[in-house]
Amino acid sequence: MGITATHSITFHRKYFSIRLVLVLFICLFSFKNSSAVTRVSVSSGNISNATTWQPSGVPVAGDLLQIQNNHTIIVNSDISVQSVTIDAGGSLKWLSNKKLTINNGIIVNGTAEIIDGNIELLQNNGFFKIGATGTVIWNPADNTTAGATIFTKGKEEFHPTSTLIINKWYNYNSVPLGSVVSGDFGNLSVTTLSNGLLFEWDQNNQFETHQILGTFTIDQGWIVLDKSGTISNTFINEINLKNINSYL
């Protein structure tokens, strides 16, 4: 049986509809990617202030933020972005209970003071990097598993001369720090004093596979390297017991 004119018209209409859908999809995909903006700080200020950034504008989801040397940016409101890079000499701080949500990850070559604020990493295996001159202070408002996604979801990369300061942890009883960090540490400082109580924090031999390549400082803390009896070759470059409430 031959193809009639009616069949031909129907075929062309279906073909045209498929092509139209494909073109619209490509346009929408291109628009989504082209809408991402890299915003570089031009001065210290609030993260939600349009004039803090070049090009000027309030950051939105999809934007890549870069904080330059000598600039201090304050997370003054809940905000979502694609990623954050803090240059050497730059600083990122939080107002109480304000939340920065990042999709891809964060690179810290300056300072990130996560004190009484929150940070959420959306992407599994998103990057969490602390460079040679970088320092991260961890003391979040949301001290729960849900508030620690930068560790539980992140793929960490800490330079041997980087500094990570843990002033608060969501579970001293059963979550060793090394169990949620994918690489080695540079300089590491920990505190297990909470509400006047000194908690014991068993690291379950995690520092054998996640080595401390810099100085391990215990500041008012009680750290146990291992209780399992499997410890055999744990390397810590240097240990600093800071005061009388520091135990290892």
Side-chain angles (χ1 to χ4, degrees):
M1 182 176 65
I3 299 176
T4 65
T6 302
H7 289 148
S8 178
I9 291 170
T10 302
F11 173 79
H12 283 296
R13 283 177 176 171
K14 288 181 179 179
Y15 180 67
F16 176 77
S17 298
I18 293 171
R19 289 188 63 186
L20 181 60
V21 170
L22 287 173
V23 168
L24 288 173
F25 176 80
I26 292 170
C27 289
L28 287 171
F29 182 79
S30 299
F31 175 76
K32 180 180 179 181
N33 284 282
S34 64
S35 64
V37 176
T38 297
R39 300 189 189 277
V40 181
S41 66
V42 294
S43 65
S44 296
N46 290 331
I47 197 169
S48 64
N49 190 336
T51 61
T52 300
W53 307 102
Q54 179 60 43
S56 179
V58 177
V60 296
D63 285 358
L64 293 74
L65 303 187
Q66 180 182 350
I67 301 171
Q68 296 198 96
N69 179 36
N70 291 326
H71 293 168
T72 297
I73 304 302
I74 306 297
V75 179
N76 65 309
S77 62
D78 294 346
I79 200 162
S80 297
V81 297
Q82 186 77 353
S83 66
V84 175
T85 298
I86 307 172
D87 292 346
S91 179
L92 183 62
K93 299 181 179 182
W94 276 252
L95 293 185
S96 181
N97 291 309
K98 300 306 178 183
K99 182 178 179 180
L100 173 63
T101 301
I102 50 177
N103 186 55
N104 283 5
I106 183 170
I107 300 173
V108 183
N109 294 310
T111 303
E113 298 182 16
I114 309 165
I115 300 174
D116 296 329
N118 296 304
I119 185 169
E120 181 180 7
L121 178 62
L122 297 180
Q123 181 175 295
N124 287 322
N125 292 317
F127 53 87
F128 175 23
K129 299 181 181 181
I130 311 177
T133 57
T135 296
V136 172
I137 302 174
W138 182 253
N139 191 32
D142 183 6
N143 191 35
T144 65
T145 305
T149 53
I150 196 170
F151 291 101
T152 59
K153 286 187 175 182
K155 184 176 182 180
E156 294 80 14
E157 185 179 322
F158 302 152
H159 191 276
T161 62
S162 68
T163 300
L164 174 63
I165 301 172
I166 304 292
N167 288 336
K168 186 187 289 185
W169 195 243
Y170 63 94
N171 190 335
Y172 290 120
N173 293 322
S174 60
V175 183
L177 181 59
S179 69
V180 291
V181 171
S182 50
D184 292 329
F185 298 91
N187 299 301
L188 174 63
S189 176
V190 299
T191 296
T192 68
L193 183 66
S194 178
N195 297 322
L197 297 175
L198 198 66
F199 287 86
E200 176 186 350
W201 195 7
D202 180 15
Q203 296 305 310
N204 196 32
N205 201 30
Q206 290 291 328
F207 290 150
E208 186 165 308
T209 51
H210 305 281
Q211 297 183 343
I212 301 173
L213 303 178
T215 299
F216 183 29
T217 300
I218 303 175
D219 182 7
Q220 300 193 91
W222 181 5
I223 302 299
V224 177
L225 294 181
D226 181 56
K227 283 186 175 181
S228 67
T230 61
I231 191 168
S232 62
N233 189 29
T234 294
F235 173 85
I236 299 175
N237 185 57
E238 184 178 344
I239 296 174
N240 177 21
L241 302 179
K242 199 168 182 179
N243 59 56
I244 59 173
N245 287 327
S246 303
Y247 301 94
L248 178 62

Coordinates of all heavy atoms in Angstrom, one line a residue, residues 126-161:
G126 N 31.1 17.0 45.8 CA 31.5 18.4 45.5 C 32.8 18.7 46.1 O 33.2 18.1 47.1
F127 N 33.5 19.7 45.6 CA 34.9 19.9 46.1 C 34.9 20.8 47.4 O 34.2 21.8 47.5 CB 35.8 20.5 45.0 CG 35.2 21.8 44.3 CD1 35.5 23.0 44.9 CD2 34.5 21.7 43.2 CE1 35.0 24.2 44.2 CE2 34.0 22.8 42.5 CZ 34.2 24.1 43.1
F128 N 35.8 20.4 48.3 CA 36.1 21.2 49.5 C 37.6 21.2 49.6 O 38.2 20.3 50.1 CB 35.4 20.6 50.7 CG 35.8 21.2 52.0 CD1 36.2 22.5 52.1 CD2 35.7 20.5 53.2 CE1 36.5 23.1 53.3 CE2 36.0 21.1 54.4 CZ 36.4 22.4 54.5
K129 N 38.2 22.4 49.1 CA 39.6 22.5 49.1 C 40.1 23.6 50.0 O 39.6 24.7 50.0 CB 40.1 22.8 47.6 CG 39.7 21.7 46.6 CD 40.2 22.0 45.2 CE 39.8 21.0 44.2 NZ 40.3 21.3 42.9
I130 N 41.2 23.3 50.8 CA 41.9 24.3 51.5 C 43.3 24.4 51.0 O 44.0 23.4 51.1 CB 41.9 24.0 53.0 CG1 40.5 23.6 53.5 CG2 42.4 25.2 53.8 CD1 40.4 23.2 55.0
G131 N 43.7 25.5 50.5 CA 45.0 25.7 49.8 C 46.1 25.9 50.9 O 45.9 25.9 52.1
A132 N 47.3 26.1 50.4 CA 48.5 26.3 51.2 C 48.4 27.4 52.2 O 48.9 27.3 53.3 CB 49.7 26.5 50.3
T133 N 47.7 28.5 51.9 CA 47.5 29.6 52.8 C 46.1 29.7 53.4 O 45.7 30.7 54.0 CB 47.8 30.9 52.0 OG1 46.9 31.0 50.9 CG2 49.2 31.0 51.5
G134 N 45.3 28.6 53.2 CA 43.9 28.6 53.6 C 43.7 28.2 55.1 O 44.4 27.3 55.6
T135 N 42.7 28.8 55.7 CA 42.2 28.4 57.0 C 40.7 28.3 57.0 O 40.0 29.2 56.6 CB 42.7 29.4 58.1 OG1 44.1 29.4 58.1 CG2 42.2 29.0 59.5
V136 N 40.2 27.2 57.6 CA 38.8 27.0 57.8 C 38.5 26.8 59.3 O 39.1 25.9 59.9 CB 38.2 25.9 57.0 CG1 36.7 25.6 57.4 CG2 38.3 26.1 55.5
I137 N 37.6 27.6 59.9 CA 37.2 27.5 61.2 C 35.8 26.9 61.2 O 34.9 27.5 60.7 CB 37.3 28.8 62.0 CG1 38.7 29.4 61.9 CG2 36.8 28.6 63.4 CD1 38.8 30.8 62.5
W138 N 35.6 25.8 61.8 CA 34.4 25.1 61.8 C 33.7 25.1 63.2 O 34.1 24.5 64.2 CB 34.6 23.6 61.4 CG 33.3 22.8 61.3 CD1 32.8 21.8 62.2 CD2 32.3 22.9 60.3 NE1 31.6 21.3 61.8 CE2 31.3 22.0 60.6 CE3 32.2 23.7 59.2 CZ2 30.2 21.8 59.8 CZ3 31.1 23.5 58.4 CH2 30.1 22.6 58.7
N139 N 32.6 26.0 63.3 CA 31.9 26.1 64.5 C 30.4 26.5 64.1 O 29.9 27.6 64.4 CB 32.5 27.2 65.4 CG 31.9 27.3 66.8 OD1 31.5 26.3 67.3 ND2 31.9 28.5 67.3
P140 N 29.7 25.6 63.4 CA 28.4 26.0 62.8 C 27.3 26.1 63.8 O 27.3 25.6 64.9 CB 28.2 24.8 61.8 CG 28.8 23.7 62.6 CD 30.1 24.2 63.2
A141 N 26.3 26.8 63.3 CA 25.0 27.0 64.1 C 24.3 25.6 64.1 O 23.8 25.2 65.2 CB 24.2 28.1 63.5
D142 N 24.2 25.0 63.0 CA 23.5 23.7 62.8 C 24.6 22.6 63.0 O 25.2 22.1 62.1 CB 22.9 23.6 61.5 CG 22.1 22.3 61.3 OD1 22.0 21.5 62.3 OD2 21.6 22.0 60.2
N143 N 24.7 22.2 64.3 CA 25.7 21.2 64.6 C 25.1 19.8 64.6 O 25.0 19.1 65.6 CB 26.3 21.5 66.0 CG 27.6 20.6 66.3 OD1 28.3 20.3 65.4 ND2 27.7 20.2 67.5
T144 N 24.7 19.4 63.4 CA 24.0 18.1 63.2 C 24.6 17.5 61.9 O 25.4 18.1 61.2 CB 22.5 18.2 63.0 OG1 22.3 18.9 61.8 CG2 21.9 18.9 64.2
T145 N 24.2 16.2 61.6 CA 24.7 15.6 60.4 C 24.2 16.4 59.2 O 25.0 16.6 58.2 CB 24.1 14.2 60.3 OG1 24.4 13.4 61.5 CG2 24.6 13.4 59.1
A146 N 23.0 16.9 59.2 CA 22.5 17.7 58.1 C 23.3 19.0 57.9 O 23.4 19.5 56.8 CB 21.0 18.0 58.4
G147 N 23.9 19.5 59.0 CA 24.6 20.7 58.9 C 26.1 20.5 58.5 O 26.8 21.5 58.4
A148 N 26.5 19.3 58.4 CA 27.9 19.0 58.1 C 28.1 18.4 56.7 O 29.1 17.7 56.4 CB 28.4 18.0 59.1
T149 N 27.3 18.8 55.7 CA 27.4 18.2 54.4 C 28.7 18.6 53.7 O 29.1 17.9 52.8 CB 26.2 18.7 53.5 OG1 26.2 20.2 53.5 CG2 24.9 18.2 54.0
I150 N 29.4 19.7 54.1 CA 30.6 20.0 53.5 C 31.7 18.9 53.7 O 32.6 18.6 52.9 CB 31.1 21.4 54.0 CG1 32.2 21.9 53.0 CG2 31.6 21.3 55.4 CD1 32.6 23.3 53.3
F151 N 31.5 18.1 54.8 CA 32.3 17.0 55.1 C 31.7 15.7 54.6 O 32.4 14.9 54.0 CB 32.5 16.9 56.6 CG 33.4 17.9 57.2 CD1 32.8 19.0 57.9 CD2 34.8 17.9 57.1 CE1 33.6 20.0 58.5 CE2 35.6 18.9 57.7 CZ 35.0 20.0 58.3
T152 N 30.4 15.5 54.9 CA 29.8 14.2 54.5 C 29.5 14.0 53.0 O 29.5 12.9 52.6 CB 28.4 14.0 55.3 OG1 27.6 15.1 54.9 CG2 28.7 14.1 56.8
K153 N 29.4 15.1 52.3 CA 29.2 15.0 50.9 C 30.4 15.4 50.1 O 30.6 15.0 48.9 CB 28.0 15.9 50.4 CG 26.7 15.4 50.8 CD 25.6 16.3 50.1 CE 24.2 15.8 50.3 NZ 23.2 16.6 49.6
G154 N 31.3 16.2 50.7 CA 32.4 16.8 50.0 C 33.6 15.8 49.7 O 33.7 14.8 50.4
K155 N 34.3 16.1 48.6 CA 35.6 15.4 48.3 C 36.7 16.4 48.7 O 37.0 17.4 48.0 CB 35.7 15.1 46.9 CG 36.9 14.3 46.5 CD 36.9 13.9 45.0 CE 38.2 13.0 44.7 NZ 38.2 12.6 43.3
E156 N 37.3 16.1 49.9 CA 38.2 17.1 50.5 C 39.6 17.0 49.9 O 40.1 15.9 49.5 CB 38.3 16.8 52.0 CG 37.0 17.1 52.8 CD 36.0 16.0 52.7 OE1 36.4 14.9 52.3 OE2 34.9 16.3 53.1
E157 N 40.2 18.1 49.8 CA 41.6 18.2 49.4 C 42.3 19.3 50.2 O 42.1 20.5 49.9 CB 41.7 18.5 47.9 CG 43.1 18.5 47.3 CD 43.1 18.8 45.8 OE1 42.2 18.4 45.1 OE2 44.0 19.6 45.4
F158 N 43.1 18.9 51.2 CA 43.7 19.8 52.1 C 45.2 19.9 51.8 O 45.9 18.8 51.9 CB 43.4 19.5 53.6 CG 42.0 19.4 53.9 CD1 41.5 18.5 54.9 CD2 41.0 20.2 53.3 CE1 40.2 18.5 55.3 CE2 39.7 20.1 53.6 CZ 39.3 19.2 54.6
H159 N 45.7 21.1 51.6 CA 47.2 21.2 51.3 C 47.9 20.9 52.6 O 47.4 21.2 53.7 CB 47.5 22.6 50.9 CG 48.9 22.8 50.4 ND1 49.9 23.1 51.2 CD2 49.4 22.7 49.1 CE1 51.0 23.2 50.5 NE2 50.7 23.0 49.2
P160 N 49.2 20.4 52.6 CA 49.9 20.0 53.8 C 50.2 21.2 54.7 O 50.4 21.0 55.9 CB 51.3 19.5 53.2 CG 50.9 18.9 51.9 CD 49.8 19.8 51.4
T161 N 50.1 22.5 54.2 CA 50.3 23.6 55.1 C 49.0 24.4 55.4 O 49.0 25.4 55.9 CB 51.3 24.6 54.5 OG1 50.8 25.1 53.2 CG2 52.7 24.0 54.2

